[in-house]
Amino acid sequence: MEWLNVSADAGLWGLFVGSFLAATLLPGGSEVLLFALLRQHPQTVWLALALATLGNTLGGMTSYACGRWLPRAPKVEDWRWHARLQRWGSPLLLLSWVPLIGDALCVAAGWLRLNAPACALCMALGKAARYALVAQGALW
């Protein structure tokens, strides 16, 4: 499978872009990219983890920004799920890596005007934990 061989630099760049796009509403599996890159270039583990986490977090914050641009519905405070999201707040974004649900959580966090730095931190922590597990599997 000669065509799968990529340089570490090209693989890292592709991982960053793929991780960013996978965190938006576009379909994509950045975990597969990370796994494949680390199988070919295990020496890049720390940089790969950092770039995947950064790209995916920036993609999640893009979804957050899209939610922030959405107009608020009248009397949204009366909605049952609104109170739950407000109660849990930014820490709920530790689950932003979960397929489908994570994208919706990022958009909802922006729409609810949750604290952006706290949201970014929680997103990054959740995504980094997921990527660390994928990396461990790739290097095992």
Side-chain angles (χ1 to χ4, degrees):
M1 298 240 257
E2 188 75 24
W3 63 274
L4 284 176
N5 290 330
V6 296
S7 71
D9 289 342
L12 289 167
W13 173 249
L15 176 63
F16 176 77
V17 172
S19 297
F20 177 85
L21 293 175
T24 64
L25 296 177
L26 298 173
S30 57
E31 299 85 3
V32 174
L33 295 174
L34 176 63
F35 189 90
L37 176 68
L38 292 179
R39 295 296 287 180
Q40 281 190 352
H41 304 285
Q43 73 280 8
T44 65
V45 64
W46 295 111
L47 186 54
L49 284 172
L51 288 173
T53 300
L54 177 64
N56 213 244
T57 301
L58 290 173
M61 288 306 291
T62 300
S63 296
Y64 172 96
C66 290
R68 198 151 176 110
W69 293 331
L70 291 174
R72 302 266 312 219
K75 297 194 178 189
V76 71
E77 292 80 15
D78 294 340
W79 298 357
R80 183 181 312 165
W81 63 267
H82 177 269
R84 288 188 180 143
L85 284 174
Q86 287 286 33
R87 185 175 130 210
W88 291 103
S90 308
L92 195 56
L93 292 176
L94 289 167
L95 299 174
S96 65
W97 61 270
V98 177
L100 300 176
I101 296 169
D103 295 336
L105 287 174
C106 294
V107 172
W111 189 65
L112 293 170
R113 280 41 174 194
L114 297 181
N115 181 280
C119 287
L121 176 64
C122 290
M123 275 186 219
L125 290 173
K127 293 168 184 291
R130 174 203 46 196
Y131 284 130
L133 289 174
V134 171
Q136 185 177 20
L139 298 175
W140 187 24

